[in-house]
Amino acid sequence: MWLSGNLNTYLVVALFLLILGLYGMLQHRTFIGMLISTELILNGAGLNFMAFNRFLAPNPAVGQVFTLFIMGIAAAEAAIAVSIILAVYRKYHTADPDEVCDLHG
Amino acid sequence: MILYQYLAEALFFAFILLTFIGGLLAVRSGILMHAVLGLAVSLLGVAGLYFYLGSPFLAMMQILIYIGAVCIMIVFGIMVGYTPAQLQAGQVGGKNLVLALSAAVTAFLLLLVALSRTVWVPAMVKSGDYSLAYLGESLLYQYCLAFELISVVLLTAIVGAIVLARGGREEHF
């Protein structure tokens, strides 16, 4: 049985991407690091869509269309996130997510 | 014939390894530039997997959009928004390490159990093909509304990004 022709291989790789993104999201101490983790999660989702499209879906174009839309959303999200990071840095002069707050208790 | 298959399988393993190593570098590296490099390597591996899933077009788009646009934009964000001292300091770890590890391992095990217990049922009847012509046709006929909507979303995002990045600059000059 060849691994490249097996649905579960792709699903496990996508699962690893999701887990790495989750881990990085919780543990990184910068906004850019969290953005990078988000991109990893979105890639896992795209890989999942393509794997299901290749092995299970009746119409082979659907998964490709979905993955293309995910790429477009990810590009828009990255543009917004980078500009928000710049605005936050200009206002608070810090890159630490914990220090960005106005109401210190 | 068999030799070609072995070579293809070795290349498949190489792409999976690229994805894993790049992802680990992206989430574990303390230096932000290395994290972006890891992200690019990981996305390259995923592009190779798209090739194996029968869509060279998506592999090209992955390289073009993700590596060519998103990664470069993140690099610009790092260069503009961070001081050199912040770039050199270790940005990973701290109090959340144990929580993040336990959450990741728990989610991984749960999803792995769900994945191994599911029986996937392929579709009985296949329609359409993998060609780029069919993909473009369904993009412009069947998914035309979504296609136009995502164009509007992208335009709004770009305009919003410009507005956000310009705002507040007057205070400094």
Side-chain angles (χ1 to χ4, degrees):
Chain A
M1 190 64 197
W2 298 97
L3 267 183
S4 61
N6 193 350
L7 173 62
N8 277 337
T9 315
Y10 298 97
L11 293 186
V12 168
V13 173
L15 175 58
F16 257 109
L17 282 178
L18 167 71
I19 295 306
L20 280 178
L22 184 68
Y23 172 77
M25 198 95 154
L26 289 172
Q27 183 238 17
H28 245 286
R29 307 308 306 145
T30 57
F31 289 116
I32 294 274
M34 293 156 92
L35 176 62
I36 290 173
S37 308
T38 317
E39 300 295 336
L40 281 181
I41 293 178
L42 284 170
N43 254 276
L47 190 61
N48 246 346
F49 273 120
M50 267 309 283
F52 284 131
N53 172 59
R54 165 81 172 74
F55 292 102
L56 303 178
N59 188 348
V62 180
Q64 303 185 47
V65 170
F66 260 81
T67 311
L68 277 176
F69 284 167
I70 287 179
M71 283 181 195
I73 293 290
E77 172 250 340
I80 288 287
V82 166
S83 63
I84 286 178
I85 288 165
L86 286 187
V88 164
Y89 183 75
R90 209 176 283 138
K91 182 160 165 46
Y92 291 92
H93 298 284
T94 179
D96 192 346
D98 282 347
E99 291 178 22
V100 181
C101 57
D102 277 329
L103 300 174
H104 279 288
Chain B
M1 184 62 190
I2 287 297
L3 179 65
Y4 286 148
Q5 274 185 343
Y6 275 116
L7 278 179
E9 206 67 12
L11 204 59
F12 183 73
F13 268 113
F15 280 132
I16 290 183
L17 269 184
L18 223 56
T19 309
F20 283 170
I21 293 172
L24 279 177
L25 185 61
V27 296
R28 283 299 301 164
S29 170
I31 301 169
L32 280 177
M33 282 293 179
H34 294 183
V36 180
L37 178 71
L39 177 69
V41 170
S42 180
L43 299 184
L44 194 68
V46 175
L49 294 184
Y50 283 156
F51 207 86
Y52 275 84
L53 284 169
S55 180
F57 172 66
L58 265 190
M60 292 299 139
M61 281 296 116
Q62 171 96 357
I63 292 174
L64 205 67
I65 296 177
Y66 266 122
I67 302 178
V70 172
C71 284
I72 298 297
M73 189 160 51
I74 294 175
V75 166
F76 269 99
I78 291 173
M79 288 197 305
V80 175
Y82 288 80
T83 59
Q86 283 172 335
L87 286 181
Q88 290 304 319
Q91 311 271 9
V92 168
K95 58 191 177 191
N96 283 349
L97 183 65
V98 179
L99 289 176
L101 257 182
S102 55
V105 169
T106 311
F108 177 71
L109 290 180
L110 281 178
L111 285 172
L112 202 64
V113 167
L115 200 153
S116 61
R117 290 199 171 190
T118 313
V119 179
W120 306 105
V121 185
M124 285 295 151
V125 186
K126 297 261 181 187
S127 66
D129 50 17
Y130 280 91
S131 70
L132 193 50
Y134 183 71
L135 176 62
E137 206 172 280
S138 56
L139 203 57
L140 285 183
Y141 284 113
Q142 203 172 354
Y143 301 99
C144 186
L145 181 64
F147 186 71
E148 298 296 332
L149 275 180
I150 208 162
S151 316
V152 175
V153 166
L154 258 180
L155 178 70
T156 318
I158 291 168
V159 174
I162 292 172
V163 170
L164 273 176
R166 269 199 63 84
R169 180 171 288 178
E170 292 78 16
E171 301 163 13
H172 292 273
F173 295 109

